[in-house]
């Protein structure tokens, strides 16, 4: 059930620069090895008619981009903030498999 609260107001006391610098922001490790997921998914997709010409799937952890290399060119897929299963769905959907 969706409830709308008309009394909610935006927060008017954002953190100061000093407060932000005092925090140690840490990126959580999801425990998923997205590079390995890409390598295994590549092997699976190569067995299909839709992606038989797929040469490799390469995951760049810094930009969170998967590069799909085909015999005739490449395709880049943004998988930022994806879980492992969401990444698989994004790759398959973008490749049109």
């Amino acid at each position: 059930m969706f409830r709308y609260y008309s009394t909610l107001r935006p927060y008017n006391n954002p953190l100061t620069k000093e407060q932000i610098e005092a925090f140690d922001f840490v990126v959580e490790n999801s425990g998923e090895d997205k590079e390995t997921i890409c390598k295994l998914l590549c092997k699976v997709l190569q067995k299909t008619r839709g992606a038989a010409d797929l040469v490799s799937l390469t995951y760049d952890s810094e930009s969170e981009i998967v590069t799909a290399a085909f015999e005739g060119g490449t395709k880049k897929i943004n998988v930022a903030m994806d879980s492992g299963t969401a990444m698989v769905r994004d790759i398959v959907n973008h490749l049109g498999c």
Side-chain angles (χ1 to χ4, degrees):
M1 178 181 196
F2 179 80
R3 292 183 182 159
Y4 178 74
Y5 295 100
S6 61
T7 58
L8 292 179
R9 295 183 197 102
Y11 185 67
N12 291 324
N13 297 320
L15 294 175
T16 65
K17 184 177 179 181
E18 293 79 23
Q19 289 171 320
I20 292 171
E21 289 173 356
F23 283 98
D24 289 326
F25 292 100
V26 178
V27 176
E28 266 189 53
N29 183 357
S30 67
E32 295 178 319
D33 186 352
K34 293 182 178 179
E35 199 169 320
T36 301
I37 292 170
C38 284
K39 288 178 184 175
L40 294 172
L41 179 60
C42 181
K43 291 179 183 181
V44 170
L45 292 175
Q46 288 170 335
K47 301 293 182 188
T48 68
R49 284 181 292 186
D53 61 339
L54 180 64
V55 176
S56 67
L57 287 174
T58 309
Y59 175 71
D60 180 2
S61 60
E62 192 166 312
S63 64
E64 294 193 78
I65 299 285
V66 172
T67 303
F70 292 90
E71 293 171 3
T74 62
K75 194 170 198 179
K76 297 208 180 274
I77 304 159
N78 183 348
V79 294
M81 304 301 293
D82 281 0
S83 66
T85 52
M87 182 177 76
V88 169
R89 276 192 294 271
D90 278 352
I91 292 168
V92 170
N93 288 336
H94 280 83
L95 297 182
C97 300

